[in-house]
Amino acid sequence: MPATNPWLALPDGAPSPVLARRLRAAHEALVTRVDAPAPAQVRPVVWDSWRRSLNSGVDTDGPAPPVDLLDDELAAYRAAHPLAAVMPVIRRLLVADAEVDRMIVAVTDAAGRMLWVEGDARLRDRAAGMHFVEGASWGEDVAGTNAPGTALALDHAVQIYGGEHFRRPVQPWSCSAAPVHDPRTGALLGAIDVTGGDHVANPHVLTLVRATAAAAEAELRWLSRHGDASGGLGPAVPLLEVLGRDRARLTTATTVQELSLRHSELLVLLAEAAARGEGRTAEQLAAECHGGAAAEVTVRAELSRLRRLVGGNVVGSRPYRLLGPVRTDVEEVRTQLARGAPAAALDRYRGPLLPGSRAPGVRAARARLADDLRAAVLASGRPDLLLRYSERPEAAEDLAVWQACLALLPPGGRRNAAAARVQRLRGSGRGTARR
């Protein structure tokens, strides 16, 4: 007898009233007794997701997931997202027949935020009541077990059938989702999801969704090599990535380069100056890179090598400056903070800015960004964001963050853990109430 595919909700394609009753009983046992053992009738992938949802503080009957992006902010974010380039492929393969097939097609970013929700208009009107709409957060840690959120959490295609959803308002629905990756780097870009009635849990629907994700990745791969009218994945505007990286990655229309630490530092400092409409002298860069009485000749030599490496059309001299726009992941975080969108900012914050750099100018930029993000998360009053932030290494000893978690989390395992952390930090005197 062949092994059952653990990612399929209904291997034989037929809804089962018996299974539905067993799922309800198992779900009730879990939420009323957190130490309940895993029952045989619940797939391990679902049971594990239920446990993660419970530990994240998701309320089975609480309010609908938050809508983080609206109107102009949503439009700008979607336009800049890599999956915008492959929406024609997704519409051709899935959306075109969605109304006939009584389905909703949703495309999310890597954090589970809905960017496009299309398909059957009547179903979309119904789904709007649970905030299954563009701009809403459906990550597993916010919305509980659901196909796009769980597919992103596990980086694997998955189906969720009816009562397998963690939140009760979502249990009348079924869904199939698959992740989509950047074909150059392997980075997770988002997920493609189909939502509807029981028929969406049929195995052939997951096959269709996976095929669409593969087609989207193939299209992204083609665009990265050949470009399109908007530049494709080979950006017309260079992209500098420095968050959570020991060395910067610079992506242009033709190349992807990982730079040395010193070149990374210099580009960061020039980008910081460009954000203020400024350039830098060799003397200023020497002070910001080395501190003290560093030799300007060393910086000039490094800048000469950097210009040969990245091209004279990127870095200019007299003064040293960026000659054109350069996108940075630092600026992406700052943009979301300026828009009052801390969830989107946290999504883009992959870690400290060049964490291994000791350059004074870089250290100052690193601290400013980290402090601004922390302040925005604390001010949001959102337990889901606080929980996500609390998992970061820099929050381990941050008393204010854990106190906020304690104040906002509902009773349960995560709140108990926050209480224990607050007590420990207060008792040890090591908590950083920050300044």
Side-chain angles (χ1 to χ4, degrees), residues 40-316:
Q41 64 268 26
V42 179
R43 289 184 289 156
V45 67
V46 172
W47 182 260
D48 292 344
S49 176
W50 284 0
R51 300 289 310 192
R52 290 194 300 272
S53 302
L54 193 65
N55 289 335
S56 293
V58 179
D59 188 339
T60 56
D61 296 298
V67 180
D68 291 327
L69 294 177
L70 292 167
D71 305 327
D72 292 345
E73 289 182 6
L74 174 63
Y77 181 53
R78 292 196 307 191
H81 197 278
L83 292 182
V86 297
M87 281 306 296
V89 173
I90 296 170
R91 290 185 176 112
R92 184 169 67 250
L93 294 177
L94 283 179
V95 180
D97 298 319
E99 189 159 352
V100 173
D101 293 336
R102 306 185 317 282
M103 299 187 310
I104 300 171
V105 178
V107 178
T108 81
D109 68 7
R113 184 174 295 105
M114 297 288 172
L115 301 184
W116 291 271
V117 179
E118 303 181 3
D120 188 294
R122 289 168 297 181
L123 284 182
R124 281 189 288 126
D125 286 344
R126 282 178 49 203
M130 59 180 185
H131 283 189
F132 196 85
V133 295
E134 294 167 347
S137 290
W138 278 77
E140 190 185 72
D141 60 333
V142 177
T145 307
N146 68 93
T150 302
L152 291 168
L154 300 177
D155 198 6
H156 199 289
V158 67
Q159 292 181 311
I160 301 296
Y161 164 65
E164 291 181 329
H165 288 92
F166 184 74
R167 297 186 65 253
R168 290 190 180 96
V170 192
Q171 290 178 351
W173 302 81
S174 292
C175 42
S176 297
V180 182
H181 302 87
D182 183 328
R184 300 169 307 166
T185 66
L188 190 60
L189 296 177
I192 300 172
D193 169 75
V194 167
T195 290
D198 291 348
H199 66 292
V200 173
N202 190 290
H204 78 80
V205 176
L206 188 62
T207 300
L208 177 60
V209 173
R210 292 178 63 183
T212 303
E217 290 175 352
E219 180 76 357
L220 289 171
R221 186 177 296 107
W222 189 93
L223 291 173
S224 71
R225 293 172 179 166
H226 304 284
D228 63 2
S230 63
L233 277 185
V237 177
L239 171 64
L240 181 67
E241 298 170 279
V242 294
L243 295 181
R245 300 181 59 87
D246 290 325
R247 297 182 176 190
R249 180 169 60 200
L250 181 66
T251 304
T252 69
T254 57
T255 63
V256 179
Q257 302 178 75
E258 185 164 311
L259 307 177
S260 70
L261 177 57
R262 183 59 74 206
H263 287 163
S264 302
E265 292 167 340
L266 288 168
L267 270 184
V268 165
L269 295 171
L270 292 175
E272 290 288 298
R276 299 188 290 272
E278 301 171 356
R280 282 290 183 267
T281 65
E283 180 182 13
Q284 289 171 318
L285 286 172
E288 293 177 333
C289 257
H290 300 278
E296 295 176 32
V297 66
T298 302
V299 167
R300 290 185 189 277
E302 288 287 359
L303 283 163
S304 179
R305 285 191 284 269
L306 176 62
R307 294 184 71 205
R308 287 198 301 270
L309 183 65
V310 303
N313 60 335
V314 176
V315 177

